[in-house]
């Protein structure tokens, strides 16, 4: 059952421990997309999941959506919960928001996880994602959901797990057309403000993606890692975008191993 901040952010808290992890979901998803991670992480950490503005049970964005709007939403959530510092792990759009948070609120960041997230795109990749935004603006999330499932899951897994596909499909289709497309545009435009951050991100960082995540490719993750001194890079073999759901044991093992290396106390 979700609780709410005064600004309408729906959130849940799990587990306890000396360290806090905030998990930031991707475009069109919601806090429940972390259901495969919460049991593993909350055994040793306090874990916070929440719905981005315009998603799940949270209020719509208070102004034109941007990475800063979502970064400030997370800071407001920390204020509400009395959290001074935390690890922030973001998936896809959430990984972009996590980087923006690292740039805007560095003093509140303990460690950073950038998971299956985009970096600078070539023209073909930019045009392809921009075309999907236009589709979503015209016809809503239904226009892009089936293609998304194909990109996100390997073919065999998608065919053998119809119930999971139905769940993820429901999450995406629940988004309001008039809110979804402007947030989708942030996925397109927000990348430019994240390239070569100055000063560089200083928090211990994990950068991870799937070998077959073509929209958030290994090349992109390598470029992100190259811009964060001392960061760790992991490429998950044979997996696409939604590795967190398709191979949670492997995915979670990487997160926990990273945390064990960089956290003390």
């Amino acid at each position: 059952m979700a609780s709410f901040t005064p600004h309408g952010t729906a959130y849940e808290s799990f587990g306890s421990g000396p360290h806090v992890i905030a998990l930031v979901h991707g475009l069109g998803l919601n806090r429940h997309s972390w259901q495969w991670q919460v049991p593993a992480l909350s055994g040793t950490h306090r874990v916070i999941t929440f719905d981005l503005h315009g998603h799940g049970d949270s209020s719509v964005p208070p102004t034109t959506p941007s990475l800063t709007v979502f970064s400030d939403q997370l800071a407001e959530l920390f204020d509400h919960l009395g959290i001074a510092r935390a690890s922030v792990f973001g998936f896809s759009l959430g990984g972009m928001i996590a980087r923006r948070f690292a740039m805007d609120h560095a003093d509140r960041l303990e460690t950073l996880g950038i998971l299956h997230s985009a970096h600078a795109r070539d023209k073909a990749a930019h045009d392809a994602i921009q075309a999907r935004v236009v589709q979503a603006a015209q016809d809503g999330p239904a226009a892009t959901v089936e293609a998304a499932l194909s990109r996100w899951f390997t073919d065999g897994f998608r065919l053998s797990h119809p119930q999971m596909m139905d769940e993820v499909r429901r999450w995406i289709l629940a988004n309001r057309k008039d809110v979804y497309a402007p947030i989708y545009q942030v996925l397109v435009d927000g990348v430019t403000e994240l390239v070569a951050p100055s000063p560089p991100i200083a928090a211990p960082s994990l950068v991870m993606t799937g070998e077959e995540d073509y929209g958030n490719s290994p090349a992109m993750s390598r470029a992100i890692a190259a811009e964060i001194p001392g960061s760790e890079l992991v490429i998950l073999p044979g997996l696409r975008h939604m590795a967190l759901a398709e191979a949670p044991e492997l995915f979670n093992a990487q997160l926990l191993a990273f945390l064990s290396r960089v956290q003390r106390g």
Side-chain angles (χ1 to χ4, degrees), residues 4-18:
F4 293 85
T5 72
H7 291 86
T9 295
Y11 70 90
E12 294 184 77
S13 178
F14 306 88
S16 62

Side-chain angles (χ1 to χ4, degrees), residues 110-133:
E110 184 178 5
T111 71
L112 177 66
I114 304 165
L115 312 172
H116 298 258
S117 195
H119 203 50
R121 300 182 182 92
D122 60 25
K123 185 178 186 304
H126 175 275
D127 291 350
I129 192 171
Q130 185 63 64
R132 294 198 292 273
V133 175

Side-chain angles (χ1 to χ4, degrees), residues 26-29 54-55 61 65 132-133 135-137 139-145 148 151-152 171-186:
L27 174 74
L29 303 177
H55 294 75
R132 294 198 292 273
V133 175
Q135 280 185 298
D139 302 315
T144 59
V145 64
R151 292 193 309 273
W152 291 1
W171 293 341
I172 297 171
L173 294 178
N175 288 275
R176 282 173 40 180
K177 172 183 171 181
D178 61 324
V179 177
Y180 182 68
I183 297 176
Y184 210 147
Q185 191 65 49
V186 176

Side-chain angles (χ1 to χ4, degrees), residues 1 69 139 145 164 189 238:
M1 181 68 68
V69 165
D139 302 315
V145 64
M164 185 184 293
D189 298 336

Side-chain angles (χ1 to χ4, degrees), residues 92-241:
S92 195
L93 173 62
M96 296 170 63
I97 296 165
R99 276 175 278 166
R100 185 71 258 178
F101 186 87
M103 296 159 68
D104 294 341
H105 305 283
D107 60 324
R108 308 195 72 167
L109 185 66
E110 184 178 5
T111 71
L112 177 66
I114 304 165
L115 312 172
H116 298 258
S117 195
H119 203 50
R121 300 182 182 92
D122 60 25
K123 185 178 186 304
H126 175 275
D127 291 350
I129 192 171
Q130 185 63 64
R132 294 198 292 273
V133 175
V134 172
Q135 280 185 298
Q138 292 174 343
D139 302 315
T144 59
V145 64
E146 297 306 322
L149 293 175
S150 295
R151 292 193 309 273
W152 291 1
F153 296 93
T154 62
D155 296 342
F157 186 88
R158 191 174 69 254
L159 293 172
S160 62
H161 291 77
Q163 290 183 327
M164 185 184 293
M165 298 308 107
D166 286 344
E167 183 173 26
V168 176
R169 186 182 290 111
R170 283 194 300 272
W171 293 341
I172 297 171
L173 294 178
N175 288 275
R176 282 173 40 180
K177 172 183 171 181
D178 61 324
V179 177
Y180 182 68
I183 297 176
Y184 210 147
Q185 191 65 49
V186 176
L187 198 66
V188 180
D189 298 336
V191 167
T192 56
E193 68 192 74
L194 302 175
V195 175
S198 181
I201 293 170
S205 299
L206 171 68
V207 185
M208 185 164 74
T209 196
E211 182 183 30
E212 299 180 12
D213 190 339
Y214 304 116
N216 305 270
S217 67
M220 287 181 173
S221 286
R222 291 186 187 101
I224 295 169
E227 294 178 351
I228 303 176
S231 61
E232 300 185 20
L233 174 68
V234 174
I235 308 299
L236 300 172
L239 291 166
R240 295 183 184 173
H241 194 48

